[in-house]
Structures are given as structure tokens and as C-alpha cells.
Amino acid sequence: MSALAVVPTQNTAITPAVDQSVAAVLPKAVNAAPVTGTAQLPETSYRDVAPGENPFTPVAQKAPVVTTPAPAATPAANPFASATADMKQAATGQAKAAAPEKVDETALRYYAKTRDLKRLGAELRRLKALYPNWEASEDLFNQTTAIDEQPLWDIYATGDLTRLRVEIARIASGNPEWKPSTDLMEKLEMAESRKLIDRAYTRANWGQVISAAQQQPQLLVCGEMNALWQVGEALAKTRDMAKAFDLYKYVLTNCDQPSERLATMQKASALLPAAGITSLLALGRTLPDGTAEFASFSYDAIRKQMGAVSEGDPMARPPSGADLESFANYVESAQSAPDASLFGWYYYSQKQWQPALAWFTSGMQYGNDLKNVEGVILSLRNLGKMDEAFTLATRFADKSDDIRNEYIEIAAAALTDEQATLKISDSDLSTLKSYVYAAKSALGAQALGWKLFRDKGPAEARPLFAQSVEWEATEGGVIGMAVIASRSKNKSELAALKQQYAGQFAGLKDFAITPSLKKSKRVVQPIAVAAKPVTNRFNRIPSTKWMYSREYAR
């Protein structure tokens, strides 16, 4: 028994209500867990864990102690640095705590000399946080000489780090006792590491991205979100899923910016296997309206399955009926236009025009996604509702190239089919012509050419067929030119067409110029472009092949 299509429960459709008894054409479901993500690991590479824990840590290996959020007062603490860097950092911290009398006051004294009270206050707070028992010297403001560091900060602001290094070396060579402030040097080193990571990331040099981050773990904090994302991707691309998971978990347990948290989950979803995504979902927070922060990601596996089915992947497994029902409820609750569009293309790819139309119509009501409009037009065409399809295409043709091409196709079919119920007005013809030339549509030019051929004769139609062939040499345009040449008794033109295109279009061999031309009662008729299924999910407009009768004047 085939499954019934899942349709929106509330839908003010453009057409009459959808018949929910229409059976969806679905492959037999395979009883296996779907695989999510671009990176797929063998099942032995991860294990069942509690939600929020790392499923990629081998059973025999103790999970790294990085799962608890860093205290808000120390956001620079980084659990993803290399073990060597961690040990060095810890050892340095312990040494300073044990010997507070060795506190480096260089930056503090410099800010006091230059009366930079803002940076002085920040440095005081930093040192007090590191050394609670330390007290600032009383003679901070009793210094008589200082080197103005502001020009160095000005260079730093330009991003010219090489020039800044040169300038620091120049000043130091003339002032042996001078050292640049700790604040400046830390920022310089971080900027250099950030630039190195950016360059390595652009070149997909994942190993260098990771190495640079290990050398500068202070970059992997909430204030450096782009660096976190780059390193997370590098770890996943090098198949170190355990560390990649830890990094994404660090963001979701330490960082509070909603847009950054959402983007982090999106990036993780594209890189980690399903087990990691499932575990990370547990770290989502409850929003003020009571909904889960990452509710949408719970359906990523279903989205990927539906997308694969829509694109004709022969290995794709369709979601179960229960999963589709659950996802449909979410889509209607969230009024997600992209997800409604996904449902539409899912059923459209299976030639279930009614359910597809229902979902595309709901998607139009949820948001301004023109792909939903395009889906409605295509579904209406396949249901034979050409008037409604043309009306909608007319309304949106100037807002989307794809919809404009749909407009051209519908109008072309109406102009070349004597039995077409859709009538094209003079105003529509004027609009069609403008769209044909804007899109350089060979098909549209042919349709206008046949219209003029019937109404006004070969001379009026010739420029449009010639234009069609100039844009794209298709059978329809070339045959149209041959008909014009035959009717006009233009032997040289017909001979030239045969010489150039006979190898491409076999129909040209039937054309000839004969003395009985005026006595003939046979008429060349183009065969109309029929309303037909279009199953390509992307660039919806198909490459329509025009077919013509082999009738010609003799």
C-alpha cells in the first residue's frame, strides 16, 4: 500500500481544495537509520552517549576535560588548545600565582606615563584578576619620560602588521630599556595568527589552520567566532570529529549571541555525522516563547532525505510517513517558507501535482520566496490549469528570471496550439515580446515568428526566426527559417541552411523549392508545446525541443 501525501492542514489555495486521498508515489522505506552530514564515519567511530556528550571519543579513551563552560570572568580560557599549550598556560598561571611580586607592570606604567586612563583601568583590572593579592605601585604617575605608543596603535588600526613590527623594532633599537605594552603585543600576535588562519582557510590548508590556532589559543573564544568556525571546519575536514565536536560544544556552552549560536549549529550540521548533531541539539536553550532554540535542526536528516529524493538520487531513501507528519506539523507551526518549498519539490519530483501545489501555496503565504511562486505555476501547468498559471506568471514575471521564462513557455504553448484554451491578448503579445528579447529566448522568438507567419506572412516572420537562430540554433528556429526560404522561393538561403545545419536537424532534407509552390494546399504547422511535467528541481525551465510537422509547400 502506498503512503498518502502529507499536505498542509490549513491552506487557502489558489485552486480548489486538495484531494488528500491522492497517494504519494514513494519508494519502499528502508528500515535503517539515515546518515546525516557530508562527513560519514563508520559506526565503530562513535558511541552512544548522553545528550550533550562527545560521541566520537573512543570508549577506551577518557574524554578530555573540556565539557564544562568556562567561567564568565575568564572567557579567554580555551579548552581546545594543544596539550602542550595547555600545560604551558597552566604552568605559567601557577608560577604567577605563587610569585605575585614578579607581575609585569610594563604596560601599566606605560599607560600611566601617557595618561591613557582607559587602558590603565583595563590593565589594572586584568592584573587584579590574575593576581588578587597584588597592589599597584603608588609611584605610577611619578614617571618623567615615556615613549608615545599612539603612533603604533594607529598603524595597528590600519591592519599593516608587517609595518608595525618594523616600527616596534626601530623604536626599541634607539631605546634599549623600552618595551611595547603587553596589550599591544598581545593584540599584534593575535592579529597575525588571525591573518594566518584566514589565509590557510582560504587555501583549504586545514592542517595549517589547526596549527596556527594551537599556537594562539586565545583566538578560540566567543569574541573570535569566525576563527572558531574556521578551526571547527578544519578539524572536521581532517576527520578529527572528536575535537570538532568539542569546539562546537564550547561555543554552545559559553557563547550567548543567538545569531552566532544558530550559525554554529548550522555549520556543525553540515560537517558532523548525525550522532554529533543529535548530541549538540541537547545544548540548545529554551526560548522566551517556550520553544526549543534548535528545534529546526531536529529535522535536518529528514530535509536531506527529501532533498535527495527531489533531486532524483537513486540511492535516496524517503522519510517514513510518521517522520513526514512530524516535520509537516513543525513547518506549519513555524510557518517556514523554505521548508514548505521543500515539501512542494518533494511531491513535485514524484509527479504528485496536487500535494505539491498545496505546499507551494502555503509557502507563498509564509514568506516572499519566489521559488514557491515558481512551484505554484509549474504545478498548475501540470494540472492543466493554464489560465491560472499564466495569471500568476504575469504577476511575478518581472521579479524572477525563472518565472519570466515560465511566462514565455506558457505564452509560446498558447500561440502554437490551435486547441489551446488560453488566449493571448494584444497586450500580452507586447509584454511577451519585451520578455523574449530581455531573456534572449529562442523558444519565445519562434512562437512569435509562427504567430506572424500565420497572421501576416513570411516576410514579417523572417526577422523573428533569424533572431531565434542567432540566440540559439535549435531545430524549431532553423526549420522556421527553412519554411520562410521555401515559401519565398529563396534557393540560396535554403541551400545555405541545409549546408550549415543538415547534420544537426534531419528534417531539413525534406525542404525544396519546386514550381508547384503556388498550387499547394498543404500548410506548415508548428506542433504546440504541451503542458508537461518538469522534474528538474533546479533551474526549473527545461530545454524544450520544438517539433514540427514535415509538411512543406510543393
Side-chain angles (χ1 to χ4, degrees):
M1 179 182 293
S2 58
L4 293 181
V6 178
V7 295
T9 56
Q10 293 182 347
N11 178 27
T12 308
I14 297 174
T15 56
V18 173
D19 180 4
Q20 298 194 24
S21 66
V22 177
V25 181
L26 297 171
K28 185 177 180 181
V30 179
N31 293 323
V35 178
T36 305
T38 56
Q40 299 177 7
L41 296 178
E43 289 188 11
T44 53
S45 295
Y46 54 85
R47 57 195 177 87
D48 292 333
V49 294
E53 297 304 316
N54 193 332
F56 307 112
T57 305
V59 176
Q61 177 184 334
K62 184 179 180 181
V65 185
V66 297
T67 57
T68 55
T74 57
N78 169 34
F80 306 105
S82 66
T84 301
D86 281 341
M87 291 172 63
K88 181 178 178 181
Q89 188 177 25
T92 303
Q94 291 172 1
K96 288 183 177 181
E101 67 277 3
K102 294 183 180 180
V103 172
D104 183 1
E105 297 183 356
T106 304
L108 190 69
R109 291 183 175 278
Y110 170 76
Y111 297 141
K113 285 180 182 180
T114 58
R115 296 301 191 269
D116 190 338
L117 301 184
K118 183 176 180 180
R119 289 197 180 111
L120 177 68
E123 183 67 4
L124 279 169
R125 290 191 294 274
R126 187 182 75 86
L127 293 176
K128 286 293 288 182
L130 289 172
Y131 314 108
N133 297 325
W134 169 81
E135 295 293 338
S137 302
E138 296 181 359
D139 63 347
L140 283 178
F141 293 96
N142 296 329
Q143 303 171 75
T144 57
T145 60
I147 291 176
D148 185 8
E149 202 175 71
Q150 187 57 48
L152 298 177
W153 284 103
D154 293 340
I155 298 174
Y156 171 81
T158 67
D160 190 343
L161 306 182
T162 301
R163 180 185 165 203
L164 178 56
R165 282 286 185 188
V166 170
E167 188 63 13
I168 289 173
R170 185 191 68 77
I171 296 174
S173 66
N175 301 272
E177 297 183 358
W178 173 82
K179 290 194 306 181
S181 67
T182 303
D183 188 23
L184 178 62
M185 292 309 297
E186 286 181 352
K187 285 183 168 56
L188 172 58
E189 290 169 2
M190 288 182 66
E192 289 172 335
S193 295
R194 190 184 299 114
K195 184 171 288 189
L196 178 60
I197 290 174
D198 283 341
R199 186 163 56 246
Y201 179 84
T202 301
R203 297 173 180 173
N205 189 339
W206 309 122
Q208 190 175 30
V209 170
I210 295 168
S211 175
Q214 289 173 334
Q215 295 299 316
Q216 193 62 258
Q218 292 88 342
L219 268 178
L220 300 184
V221 294
C222 297
E224 298 284 350
M225 191 58 65
N226 194 56
L228 282 167
W229 290 336
Q230 290 172 328
V231 175
E233 182 172 347
L235 290 168
K237 291 293 178 64
T238 55
R239 311 295 290 172
D240 194 343
M241 298 299 172
K243 287 185 179 177
F245 178 91
D246 281 339
L247 187 143
Y248 292 125
K249 179 175 180 177
Y250 172 78
V251 173
L252 297 180
T253 54
N254 285 272
C255 307
D256 298 323
Q257 178 58 246
S259 61
E260 292 177 346
R261 292 172 60 81
L262 181 62
T264 298
M265 198 66 210
Q266 290 171 333
K267 293 176 184 296
S269 179
L271 294 165
L272 296 183
I277 304 306
T278 300
S279 190
L280 287 176
L281 286 172
L283 303 176
R285 299 170 179 174
T286 302
L287 300 178
D289 62 0
T291 60
E293 183 180 22
F294 301 134
S296 172
F297 290 95
S298 302
Y299 298 102
D300 265 10
I302 300 174
R303 289 188 181 96
K304 291 178 181 179
Q305 286 179 278
M306 294 175 71
V309 171
S310 300
E311 292 161 18
D313 183 350
M315 303 300 292
R317 298 188 294 267
S320 68
D323 285 344
L324 286 173
E325 288 282 0
S326 176
F327 186 29
N329 290 336
Y330 164 77
V331 174
E332 290 191 88
S333 174
Q335 295 197 347
S336 171
D339 287 328
S341 180
L342 178 60
F343 261 106
W345 295 124
Y346 177 75
Y347 285 118
Y348 189 91
S349 69
Q350 299 169 70
K351 301 182 181 180
Q352 292 279 19
W353 316 128
Q354 295 261 29
L357 175 61
W359 280 108
F360 287 134
T361 303
S362 289
M364 284 183 62
Q365 295 166 353
Y366 295 157
N368 298 321
D369 185 348
L370 290 175
K371 281 298 178 183
N372 277 315
V373 177
E374 185 185 346
V376 170
I377 295 170
L378 288 165
S379 298
L380 288 170
R381 284 185 66 186
N382 285 305
L383 288 167
K385 302 178 183 297
M386 303 305 291
D387 287 294
E388 293 175 67
F390 188 65
T391 298
L392 194 60
T394 302
R395 176 181 169 192
F396 289 95
D398 62 344
K399 296 178 172 60
S400 161
D401 289 347
D402 286 339
I403 297 176
R404 180 185 63 191
N405 290 339
E406 277 298 315
Y407 177 97
I408 293 171
E409 273 204 4
I410 296 170
L415 290 176
T416 56
D417 184 0
E418 291 183 344
Q419 298 180 351
T421 58
L422 175 64
K423 303 302 178 184
I424 304 299
S425 67
D426 290 342
S427 174
D428 292 331
L429 281 173
S430 176
T431 301
L432 174 62
K433 187 174 182 179
S434 68
Y435 286 154
V436 165
Y437 277 86
K440 295 184 178 181
S441 170
L443 181 142
Q446 292 163 34
L448 289 171
W450 287 116
K451 169 71 173 172
L452 285 174
F453 182 87
R454 290 194 303 268
D455 293 351
K456 297 186 179 180
E460 296 290 335
R462 182 190 300 274
L464 280 160
F465 284 115
Q467 184 63 79
S468 174
V469 173
E470 180 182 330
W471 284 332
E472 183 183 0
T474 64
E475 183 175 12
V478 172
I479 295 294
M481 290 290 292
V483 170
I484 299 296
S486 178
R487 285 292 186 88
S488 304
K489 301 170 65 174
N490 190 330
K491 294 181 180 180
S492 60
E493 182 180 9
L494 184 58
L497 287 168
K498 285 188 172 185
Q499 181 178 3
Q500 185 173 358
Y501 297 110
Q504 293 177 253
F505 310 119
L508 279 173
K509 65 182 177 59
D510 297 328
F511 282 83
I513 304 293
T514 69
S516 59
L517 178 64
K518 294 183 179 179
K519 298 179 181 180
S520 174
K521 295 183 180 180
R522 305 174 78 178
V523 179
V524 177
Q525 290 284 354
I527 294 178
V529 179
K532 58 192 176 302
V534 183
T535 55
N536 179 20
R537 183 169 175 237
F538 302 103
N539 286 326
R540 208 71 51 206
I541 307 306
S543 56
T544 306
K545 181 177 181 182
W546 281 57
M547 299 294 292
Y548 297 87
S549 65
R550 299 298 181 228
E551 301 294 328
Y552 57 92
R554 289 191 180 275

